[in-house]
Amino acid sequence: CALPICFIHLTMKDGLPNNIILSIIQDWDNNFWFGTYGDGVSKYDGTKFTIYSTKDGLCSNVINSIFQDKEGNIWFGSKGNGLSKYDGKKFTTYSTDNGLSSNMVYSISQDQDGNLLIGTLGGGLNIFDGKKFTVISKNEGLSSNMIYFIYSDKKGNIYIGTDDAGVDLIFNTTITEIINSKKVISDNVLNISRKIGLSNEQVLSIAEDTEGNVWFGTYGGGVCKFDGKGIKTITTKDGLNSNNIFFLLAEDRKSVV
């Protein structure tokens, strides 16, 4: 392709089981994983698709989020059936039966200590240490239990994008401290909302650029850049093609798309 950016269009004609894609990641082996709405997840190695569904042990065929942890396991968050871990051989599923606060899993991340951070719609934040789930909700100081996105930045701060209350920033406090004393959340959380300049309090995506700025994609309010001190908003008035930002990706060349 002669252009700097080249798009390859993959559809059901190429082997995808469904053209509605809810989540995408690229794993360490450069495979792409596509979470679909209704037909499970597809792994694309650049040549062919391998499809995994509930028939193979996946928790659901509607996959909202995909994440690869520090050990190489791939996690899948579903709409109503909890989450599954794939270790390369088999799926292991976790749900409210195992201590998860809600089976509506919209975001998965990991902190610096290796704890899994699970954002649920209605059940707040779940912290999974590999053995048990610890639930952090509004009762412990979160602004909302409706979580769309979780991001752990380079400094160890945790950003939580919510459906109705903007972003909760949990400062670099270890998850161990939070688990041992849940009041740490209330003592170390900053709510980034309209009060301090956020354009819209429904935040669907979060990314960090190479200069340490954190970007928030909102539904209806465009994208906001947070430099730790203030917020700058970019909307269609500035040339953005839409004010509904479902996903953000930070590039190596100091840009966010």
Side-chain angles (χ1 to χ4, degrees), residues 113-187:
D113 297 324
N115 297 294
L116 210 65
L117 308 175
I118 303 155
T120 70
L121 205 63
L125 171 67
N126 288 247
I127 303 166
F128 184 56
D129 63 4
K131 297 180 180 179
K132 70 178 187 302
F133 292 93
T134 298
V135 180
I136 305 295
S137 67
K138 290 181 70 174
N139 294 332
E140 289 74 46
L142 287 185
S143 300
S144 174
N145 289 332
M146 307 288 281
I147 298 175
Y148 273 133
F149 204 92
I150 298 176
Y151 180 78
S152 181
D153 72 9
K154 299 169 186 175
K155 298 177 182 178
N157 301 313
I158 298 169
Y159 291 82
I160 300 174
T162 74
D163 176 62
D164 54 2
V167 178
D168 276 344
L169 167 56
I170 302 174
F171 293 103
N172 188 7
T173 304
T174 65
I175 295 298
T176 301
E177 290 178 311
I178 292 174
I179 293 173
N180 292 339
S181 177
K182 291 186 179 181
K183 67 181 180 63
V184 172
I185 282 284
S186 299
D187 296 340

Side-chain angles (χ1 to χ4, degrees), residues 12 84 131 179 189:
M12 292 176 67
S84 289
K131 297 180 180 179
I179 293 173
V189 65

Side-chain angles (χ1 to χ4, degrees), residues 83 94-103 123 125-128 131-135:
L83 74 161
Y94 302 88
S95 68
T96 50
D97 293 336
N98 307 103
L100 193 65
S101 64
S102 169
N103 286 328
L125 171 67
N126 288 247
I127 303 166
F128 184 56
K131 297 180 180 179
K132 70 178 187 302
F133 292 93
T134 298
V135 180

Side-chain angles (χ1 to χ4, degrees), residues 16-249:
L16 269 175
N18 193 312
N19 286 332
I20 302 176
I21 305 299
L22 302 180
S23 50
I24 304 172
I25 70 159
Q26 185 177 17
D27 68 21
W28 297 347
D29 296 320
N30 292 321
N31 299 302
F32 284 91
W33 295 78
F34 303 99
T36 74
Y37 186 83
D39 288 282
V41 64
S42 294
K43 182 177 75 171
Y44 180 63
D45 63 6
T47 303
K48 67 180 187 300
F49 287 94
T50 303
I51 300 169
Y52 301 95
S53 69
T54 52
K55 296 178 181 179
D56 303 291
L58 187 64
C59 58
S60 171
N61 287 330
V62 180
I63 301 299
N64 291 324
S65 56
I66 310 175
F67 178 78
Q68 186 170 28
D69 68 23
K70 295 177 181 179
E71 296 180 349
N73 301 304
I74 299 181
W75 295 79
F76 305 95
S78 77
K79 187 178 181 180
N81 292 86
L83 74 161
S84 289
K85 179 181 76 172
Y86 182 63
D87 63 6
K89 297 180 179 179
K90 68 179 187 302
F91 289 93
T92 302
T93 293
Y94 302 88
S95 68
T96 50
D97 293 336
N98 307 103
L100 193 65
S101 64
S102 169
N103 286 328
M104 302 282 285
V105 178
Y106 273 71
S107 183
I108 308 169
S109 186
Q110 195 168 29
D111 71 3
Q112 293 180 335
D113 297 324
N115 297 294
L116 210 65
L117 308 175
I118 303 155
T120 70
L121 205 63
L125 171 67
N126 288 247
I127 303 166
F128 184 56
D129 63 4
K131 297 180 180 179
K132 70 178 187 302
F133 292 93
T134 298
V135 180
I136 305 295
S137 67
K138 290 181 70 174
N139 294 332
E140 289 74 46
L142 287 185
S143 300
S144 174
N145 289 332
M146 307 288 281
I147 298 175
Y148 273 133
F149 204 92
I150 298 176
Y151 180 78
S152 181
D153 72 9
K154 299 169 186 175
K155 298 177 182 178
N157 301 313
I158 298 169
Y159 291 82
I160 300 174
T162 74
D163 176 62
D164 54 2
V167 178
D168 276 344
L169 167 56
I170 302 174
F171 293 103
N172 188 7
T173 304
T174 65
I175 295 298
T176 301
E177 290 178 311
I178 292 174
I179 293 173
N180 292 339
S181 177
K182 291 186 179 181
K183 67 181 180 63
V184 172
I185 282 284
S186 299
D187 296 340
N188 293 277
V189 65
L190 169 67
N191 181 237
I192 302 170
S193 64
R194 289 185 185 273
K195 293 180 181 179
I196 61 173
L198 192 67
S199 62
N200 190 294
E201 294 187 346
Q202 188 174 18
V203 177
L204 305 179
S205 54
I206 304 172
E208 182 180 11
D209 65 26
T210 56
E211 296 180 346
N213 300 303
V214 180
W215 297 72
F216 309 126
T218 74
Y219 189 81
V223 63
C224 298
K225 182 177 79 170
F226 178 62
D227 63 4
K229 299 177 182 179
I231 295 174
K232 178 182 178 181
T233 300
I234 301 171
T235 68
T236 52
K237 294 179 180 179
D238 305 292
L240 199 64
N241 67 343
S242 173
N243 287 329
N244 301 326
I245 308 299
F246 291 92
F247 190 77
L248 291 169
L249 176 65

